[in-house]
């Protein structure tokens, strides 16, 4: 994918997003994608080559490395970025479906026919649920990958020395990680950026739900006012008829 395609894709996502989602997208592509491409890959580029153990037993270094790095930080972050950005495309796909449906409707019934949607990008009806569902997907993915990172490396820490006693190592072997301090700093940075994205996603979920509740409350109040005004109008129309009946009954009694 070239930069023009990526830019068009991002502009489509931004067009139908809220302010929270725009900030989230900026954090993802500035503090995560760019840091990943520019610096993180180079920092972890020598992790297996410079993973040094104090033994020459064939296979022991590879087994110890696989034990401590079941999956590389770089590959885990790559999967995280792919999975966390995919739900944002659901909204764009839903809007594209609405636009295609509107186009077919106009081709079938003419340009003067009533529109199916007042605004295809407005978050009402099914699009609102799609947008909210994409936010929950992003939130679950972010939390899941942070849990995996914490589970594999306790407290996201990278010690300088690790001990390994798995076969084919003859005994407990000391192994040393290359540039652990630098890798620890980048790990904390990526975890912090992911935490900011989680906070932004939670804020956006509450914002959408609050906005939907306010809109529903306003509609309910308007419907109540209309029903009250209609009932008042109906009772006002009935009063003259009641007065005519009373006058007729009084004239009959006098006669």
């Amino acid at each position: 994918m070239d930069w023009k395609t990526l830019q068009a894709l991002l502009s489509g996502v931004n067009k139908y997003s809220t302010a929270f989602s725009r900030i989230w997208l900026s954090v993802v592509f500035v503090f995560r994608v760019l840091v990943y491409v520019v610096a993180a890959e180079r920092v972890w580029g020598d992790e297996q080559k410079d993973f040094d153990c104090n033994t020459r037993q064939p296979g022991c270094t590879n087994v110890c490395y696989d034990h401590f790095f079941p999956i590389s930080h770089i590959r885990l972050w790559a999967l995280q970025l792919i999975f966390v950005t995919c739900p944002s495309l659901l909204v764009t796909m839903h809007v594209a479906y609405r636009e295609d449906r509107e186009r077919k409707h106009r081709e079938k019934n003419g340009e003067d026919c009533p529109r199916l949607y007042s605004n295809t990008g407005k978050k009402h009806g099914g699009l609102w649920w799609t947008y909210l569902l994409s936010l929950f997907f992003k939130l679950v993915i972010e939390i899941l990958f942070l849990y995996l990172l914490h589970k594999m490396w306790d407290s996201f820490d990278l010690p300088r020395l690790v001990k390994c006693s798995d076969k084919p190592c003859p005994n407990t072997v000391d192994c040393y990680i290359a540039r652990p301090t630098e890798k620890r700093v980048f790990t904390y940075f990526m975890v912090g950026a992911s935490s900011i994205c989680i906070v932004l996603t939670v804020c956006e979920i509450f914002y959408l739900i609050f906005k939907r509740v306010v809109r529903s409350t306003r509609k309910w109040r308007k419907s109540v006012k209309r029903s009250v005004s209609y009932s008042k109008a109906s009772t006002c129309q009935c009063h003259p008829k009641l007065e005519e009946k009373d006058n007729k009954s009084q004239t009959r009694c006098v006669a």
Side-chain angles (χ1 to χ4, degrees):
M1 181 183 293
D2 55 358
W3 285 106
K4 291 183 179 180
T5 306
L6 182 61
Q7 184 180 2
L9 187 63
L10 295 181
S11 62
V13 173
N14 266 330
K15 186 177 179 181
Y16 310 111
S17 301
T18 62
F20 289 103
S21 186
R22 293 187 182 99
I23 298 173
W24 176 88
L25 198 60
S26 301
V27 172
V28 168
F29 280 90
V30 173
F31 295 101
R32 297 176 70 176
V33 174
L34 290 181
V35 171
Y36 173 85
V37 173
V38 174
E41 282 188 322
R42 297 181 181 179
V43 173
W44 266 270
D46 59 351
E47 56 180 343
Q48 187 171 6
K49 182 181 67 175
D50 294 340
F51 186 80
D52 192 19
C53 298
N54 59 353
T55 182
R56 296 302 176 187
Q57 179 69 27
C60 180
T61 302
N62 291 333
V63 170
C64 293
Y65 177 82
D66 182 69
H67 175 76
F68 191 73
F69 290 99
I71 182 172
S72 173
H73 284 66
I74 291 296
R75 293 174 180 85
L76 187 65
W77 287 334
L79 288 175
Q80 183 181 10
L81 290 173
I82 291 171
F83 282 113
V84 85
T85 52
C86 284
S88 299
L89 303 179
L90 292 176
V91 180
T92 307
M93 293 172 63
H94 197 148
V95 174
Y97 165 75
R98 280 185 168 188
E99 292 176 349
D100 183 67
R101 188 181 177 190
E102 184 72 32
R103 180 182 57 81
K104 291 180 179 179
H105 175 71
R106 288 185 172 277
E107 289 178 356
K108 183 178 180 180
N109 301 315
E111 293 293 333
D112 297 331
C113 65
R115 295 174 61 90
L116 294 176
Y117 307 99
S118 59
N119 185 1
T120 55
K122 200 169 185 179
K123 289 180 282 295
H124 287 304
L127 184 60
W128 185 87
W129 287 104
T130 302
Y131 196 93
L132 188 66
L133 188 64
S134 68
L135 293 178
F136 277 109
F137 279 161
K138 289 193 290 187
L139 185 63
V140 170
I141 290 169
E142 292 277 17
I143 295 175
L144 179 61
F145 274 91
L146 281 183
Y147 173 76
L148 288 176
L149 193 65
H150 175 77
K151 190 72 175 178
M152 293 179 182
W153 301 279
D154 189 22
S155 300
F156 313 108
D157 191 21
L158 288 174
R160 291 180 173 85
L161 172 66
V162 293
K163 295 183 178 294
C164 179
S165 58
D166 295 340
K167 293 182 179 180
C169 298
N171 48 31
T172 302
V173 176
D174 295 334
C175 296
Y176 302 91
I177 301 174
R179 295 188 290 183
T181 303
E182 189 175 7
K183 293 177 180 178
R184 189 184 300 117
V185 170
F186 274 96
T187 301
Y188 288 155
F189 181 86
M190 297 295 282
V191 169
S194 182
S195 302
I196 293 174
C197 291
I198 290 175
V199 173
L200 290 172
T201 304
V202 172
C203 291
E204 189 173 10
I205 289 174
F206 280 107
Y207 169 75
L208 284 177
I209 295 175
F210 176 76
K211 194 174 180 180
R212 182 68 175 264
V213 171
V214 171
R215 190 185 302 116
S216 301
T217 305
R218 288 177 180 174
K219 288 183 180 179
W220 177 76
R221 287 179 179 177
K222 288 182 180 179
S223 63
V224 170
K225 288 181 180 179
R226 289 176 183 174
S227 61
V228 171
S229 62
Y230 177 77
S231 61
K232 286 183 179 179
S234 61
T235 52
C236 291
Q237 292 175 0
C238 293
H239 281 303
K241 295 181 179 179
L242 293 174
E243 290 178 355
E244 290 178 0
K245 289 182 180 179
D246 292 337
N247 292 331
K248 289 180 180 179
S249 62
Q250 288 178 1
T251 54
R252 288 176 183 176
C253 291
V254 171

